[in-house]
Amino acid sequence: MRIIPAIDIIDGKCVRLSKGDYSTKKIYNENPVEVALEFEASGIEYVHVVDLDGAKASHIVNYKVLEQIATKTKLSIDFGGGLKTDDDLRIAFESGAKQITGGSIAVKNPSIFKKWITNYGTDKIILGADAHNEKIAISGWQEESNEELIPFIQDYMKEGIQYVICTDIAKDGMLEGPSFDLYKRILAQCSDIHLIASGGISTFEELPKLAELGCEGTIIGKAIYENRISLKQLEQFILTTNN
């Protein structure tokens, strides 16, 4: 299982929110590149970068930060937040993203998202399936749609989607543990996807459980920044699972 730390960006700074609420913003580092370099030094190969300003503005904003992380590290970056147009996508890839995550766009403008899957390939486009009460949430989690989570994923599997990041918003940033039951149900009904679990990771012991369920990756945010899970533990986990 891949370990994918999260770097969430507002005003060019590394922050975390609770349940996607912008008023809960806490700044952890003024310089996201420093954070990325620390991750890389601990043997981490992947990072999930979220442009929270972009999610609010509905277009890419913090692409310069993406570019700096891509230039100064060898991390494989998955980038999301506010990607709405072909131009946003072009900027993200030109700025160094290896993959992009589309969430709101997959609900609000499925034709453009399907076009991206066709044009860029299923290894480059991740479906962001962020849910509240098993309904897909959109627009930086400010809105709830009528889309049911599992049928939404299944519909995009028919379009060839391989990678899905699923965040249970009620868990995000709360350090109360991930939605094991939800991931279990998703994997039972969508067995061919690479499921990346996100939200609520709070202790190191949860990671082997997610791996056991069959999650292909897990995104860890606040637990790292609040020192609930150390980079040393993650380094050990990566070494053990790679051998």
Side-chain angles (χ1 to χ4, degrees), residues 16-222:
R16 295 304 293 167
L17 309 180
S18 297
K19 297 185 180 178
D21 180 350
Y22 283 70
S23 69
T24 64
K25 177 181 83 175
K26 183 172 177 182
I27 298 168
Y28 285 97
N29 196 311
E30 302 273 332
N31 184 354
V33 177
E34 276 180 15
V35 178
L37 286 163
E38 270 182 59
F39 291 155
E40 188 177 42
S42 301
I44 284 160
E45 294 173 47
Y46 306 93
V47 69
H48 175 68
V49 176
V50 183
D51 181 356
L52 289 172
D53 293 314
K56 235 181 182 175
S58 290
H59 61 83
I60 192 166
V61 174
N62 286 293
Y63 58 90
K64 287 285 181 213
V65 178
L66 165 62
E67 198 170 35
Q68 288 167 348
I69 294 171
T71 309
K72 294 182 179 169
T73 74
K74 291 190 173 71
L75 293 167
S76 180
I77 305 164
D78 142 41
F79 183 83
L83 302 174
K84 296 285 180 285
T85 63
D86 293 345
D87 212 38
D88 287 330
L89 211 65
R90 179 186 59 74
I91 293 166
F93 282 124
E94 282 179 3
S95 301
K98 286 282 187 294
Q99 293 179 302
I100 67 92
T101 299
S104 306
I105 187 81
V107 177
K108 289 186 159 181
N109 199 338
S111 60
I112 196 169
F113 189 67
K114 288 171 188 174
K115 186 176 83 174
W116 293 351
I117 297 168
T118 307
N119 291 353
Y120 287 92
T122 53
D123 56 332
K124 290 255 198 264
I125 307 291
I126 301 172
L127 178 65
D130 301 335
H132 193 253
N133 301 322
E134 297 200 32
K135 290 265 172 68
I136 294 291
I138 52 176
S139 306
W141 301 349
Q142 309 300 300
E143 295 174 54
E144 199 175 278
S145 73
N146 294 317
E147 295 273 0
E148 297 282 346
L149 174 63
I150 290 175
F152 176 72
I153 294 171
Q154 289 169 331
D155 285 346
Y156 272 109
M157 285 173 72
K158 291 173 194 153
E159 303 296 330
I161 270 294
Q162 293 179 32
Y163 290 89
V164 178
I165 294 174
C166 180
T167 308
D168 182 347
I169 293 166
K171 299 278 191 182
D172 190 66
M174 301 311 291
L175 297 171
E176 291 168 356
S179 292
F180 292 112
D181 292 344
L182 178 61
Y183 299 138
K184 201 174 184 173
R185 271 185 290 124
I186 292 170
L187 286 163
Q189 294 179 59
C190 312
S191 55
D192 290 340
I193 58 162
H194 297 303
L195 182 66
I196 299 161
S198 167
I201 313 290
S202 60
T203 66
F204 178 76
E205 290 66 39
E206 290 155 0
L207 302 182
K209 287 186 194 170
L210 288 169
E212 223 168 89
L213 278 184
C215 292
E216 188 269 341
T218 182
I219 292 171
I220 312 170
K222 198 175 269 188

